[in-house]
Amino acid sequence: MARPLRVQFPGAFYHVTSRGNERKPIFRNDRDRQKFLSYLESAYERYGARIHIYCLMENHYHLLLETPRGNLSQILHHVNGAYTTYYNVKRRRSGHLFQGRYRALLVEMESYGQELSRYIHLNPFRAALVEAPEDYPWSSYRVYIGLKRKPSWLETRLILSYFSSQERVAQRKYREFVEGAVGIPIRNPLEAVYASTFLGGEKFINRIWKEKKGQGGQDSRNIPALKFLAEKPTLSEIREAVEKVLGSSGRLSRKFGLYLSRQNGDLD
């Protein structure tokens, strides 16, 4: 059976999602949501997880988290496992609560951190659960805009620092950034996901790929993302090959390079 690629290293950032089995609800009431948040807190205390963004929907959740210890699997095993045990015991049920393994995208924060945080925080509004983003109580958004006290396990400084070094100013600008997208079409950052694993630019992906390729014990034949990366040329490699044949200037060279990039490279 094919295994998903799990790129783990200290200081990595991930967008994590996990859905209920058969898309059934995983949160039935506020007590369930509070319990789930308590497991995020214990993941912070025991495993050093840094939770930057969270949003709890009815049948799935979103997290933007950082792993200073490079232990993503350990963190998610704790959170999903502990919550499943709680949920099953409370409702006298057994079996899986979540649909398969969680999905974790490795994120280049400098390029996608702001957009991704906005995308996550707007989930309840897009789902028509609230009339305004700040009305939803089960995401980190109210903390980010200063309407709710920050819990010790939630890290807001990094994303707010993109907007200002002054907390109050950053909160105001972040609110403008998020709510300025209400009612207008914006780019979904997840459309830029590469090989079902990476959310980042070409240099970021190539650096991670080279580092991962140098580690032993990985059989790329059984990991679709590694096989995909190994087989796909980079945009730079495609551009260099086209220029050797058609030259570095001219409309034909540009159009042919774009065509090959879409067909064979990492341009989606």
Side-chain angles (χ1 to χ4, degrees), residues 199-223:
L199 182 57
E202 180 184 1
K203 291 183 179 179
F204 171 77
I205 294 170
N206 288 340
R207 175 174 61 82
I208 300 301
W209 161 234
K210 289 177 181 178
E211 292 175 358
K212 192 65 181 176
K213 186 168 60 174
Q215 298 177 9
Q218 289 285 13
D219 181 1
S220 63
R221 294 171 300 178
N222 295 323
I223 302 178

Side-chain angles (χ1 to χ4, degrees), residues 97-164:
L97 176 61
F98 294 99
Q99 181 178 303
R101 294 190 70 188
Y102 57 88
R103 184 190 189 199
L105 302 174
L106 190 63
V107 178
E108 182 182 16
M109 286 294 288
E110 292 79 4
S111 300
Y112 288 93
Q114 296 179 55
E115 280 188 88
L116 188 56
S117 72
R118 178 172 63 181
Y119 171 82
I120 295 173
H121 280 149
L122 283 177
N123 256 254
F125 176 79
R126 288 197 303 269
L129 299 179
V130 289
E131 294 184 357
E134 69 269 22
D135 293 339
Y136 194 68
W138 299 108
S139 81
S140 48
Y141 183 61
R142 290 174 60 82
V143 176
Y144 267 82
I145 62 176
L147 296 182
K148 184 178 179 180
R149 184 177 180 181
K150 186 181 79 67
S152 60
W153 50 268
L154 182 65
E155 176 58 65
T156 62
R157 290 172 296 180
L158 176 61
I159 291 174
L160 287 178
S161 71
Y162 296 144
F163 296 87
S164 175

Side-chain angles (χ1 to χ4, degrees), residues 133-259:
E134 69 269 22
D135 293 339
Y136 194 68
W138 299 108
S139 81
S140 48
Y141 183 61
R142 290 174 60 82
V143 176
Y144 267 82
I145 62 176
L147 296 182
K148 184 178 179 180
R149 184 177 180 181
K150 186 181 79 67
S152 60
W153 50 268
L154 182 65
E155 176 58 65
T156 62
R157 290 172 296 180
L158 176 61
I159 291 174
L160 287 178
S161 71
Y162 296 144
F163 296 87
S164 175
S165 59
Q166 302 178 38
E167 184 179 38
R168 291 296 183 186
V169 175
Q171 289 173 340
R172 175 177 56 79
K173 289 186 175 180
Y174 183 74
R175 183 170 189 167
E176 293 171 354
F177 171 71
V178 172
E179 297 183 15
V182 170
I184 63 173
I186 60 171
R187 185 182 74 155
N188 179 354
L190 299 183
E191 292 178 354
V193 171
Y194 176 70
S196 302
T197 303
F198 304 97
L199 182 57
E202 180 184 1
K203 291 183 179 179
F204 171 77
I205 294 170
N206 288 340
R207 175 174 61 82
I208 300 301
W209 161 234
K210 289 177 181 178
E211 292 175 358
K212 192 65 181 176
K213 186 168 60 174
Q215 298 177 9
Q218 289 285 13
D219 181 1
S220 63
R221 294 171 300 178
N222 295 323
I223 302 178
L226 280 181
K227 187 174 184 292
F228 186 88
L229 284 169
E231 293 176 347
K232 292 287 184 179
T234 67
L235 291 177
S236 297
E237 291 170 339
I238 292 173
R239 184 167 56 248
E240 290 175 5
V242 171
E243 289 177 357
K244 285 182 180 180
V245 177
L246 300 176
S248 59
S249 61
R251 186 177 179 183
L252 178 60
S253 176
R254 290 194 298 273
K255 292 186 69 174
F256 190 59
L258 181 61
Y259 170 78

